[in-house]
Amino acid sequence: MLDISKIAAPTDLRDETLRNRAGRAHGGRSQEFVAWVSGEEAGFLSYEDWSDRASAFVYEIFVLHPYRRQYIGSALLSHAESYSLQLNCERIRLKPHALELEPDLSRLKAWYASLGYRDVQDDPEHMEKILRWQSAA
């Protein structure tokens, strides 16, 4: 069973790899979430709250090797999107960067595209997904 919960600090993580990655990602507006599979840490999400600008930013999604290809990354991204909607964000942005050789950047970008993310026209390093169209005033 998959569960996702917010952590107070990177030191809350037991897994050394996740703790180190969360420690590097933590700061400023970031919030970190951990994915649990049957009570074991499987991955994490670093999310930046820019709701004052009706936006959010996914800083990093990382899934431990034994849990890859089990839709945990998709679940973490979906969690970020749902959380963004709760904060009344209209869009969510990220910068795809392969943290390891697998997946490579082109496969990673294709994965994000399959989930509704598109290249940002004026910033080709970033991708974004429209969560809610801005209503006309």
Side-chain angles (χ1 to χ4, degrees):
M1 181 173 154
L2 176 68
D3 184 41
I4 297 173
S5 59
K6 187 174 179 180
I7 59 171
T11 54
D12 291 347
L13 296 167
R14 295 184 308 246
D15 182 88
E16 183 179 0
T17 300
L18 294 181
R19 189 172 49 250
N20 289 338
R21 287 192 173 278
R24 286 194 303 264
H26 184 71
R29 295 177 177 235
S30 76
Q31 300 173 51
E32 281 70 41
F33 297 84
V34 64
W36 300 89
V37 174
S38 301
E40 296 294 322
E41 296 169 347
F44 98 101
L45 159 72
S46 182
Y47 170 94
E48 291 187 7
D49 176 8
W50 294 95
S51 56
D52 57 323
R53 299 179 194 169
S55 187
F57 191 84
V58 171
Y59 182 76
E60 182 175 351
I61 292 175
F62 184 80
V63 177
L64 293 169
H65 284 281
Y67 298 99
R68 291 189 181 169
R69 302 195 190 286
Q70 297 179 34
Y71 301 99
I72 295 167
S74 298
L76 286 164
L77 190 57
S78 179
H79 182 81
E81 293 168 5
S82 296
Y83 191 68
S84 298
L85 283 168
Q86 290 173 20
L87 297 174
N88 294 315
C89 293
E90 295 170 0
R91 66 189 70 236
I92 188 166
R93 193 175 272 206
L94 51 82
K95 179 180 178 182
H97 53 281
L99 301 171
E100 298 177 350
L101 296 176
E102 179 67 27
D104 65 27
L105 186 56
S106 62
R107 284 184 54 204
L108 185 60
K109 288 185 82 163
W111 179 71
Y112 283 123
S114 76
L115 296 172
Y117 287 77
R118 301 292 173 249
D119 290 327
V120 176
Q121 211 166 22
D122 61 346
D123 186 357
E125 288 190 349
H126 290 96
M127 297 178 82
E128 75 178 0
K129 182 175 184 177
I130 304 299
L131 301 173
R132 172 182 312 160
W133 291 103
Q134 187 175 10
S135 59

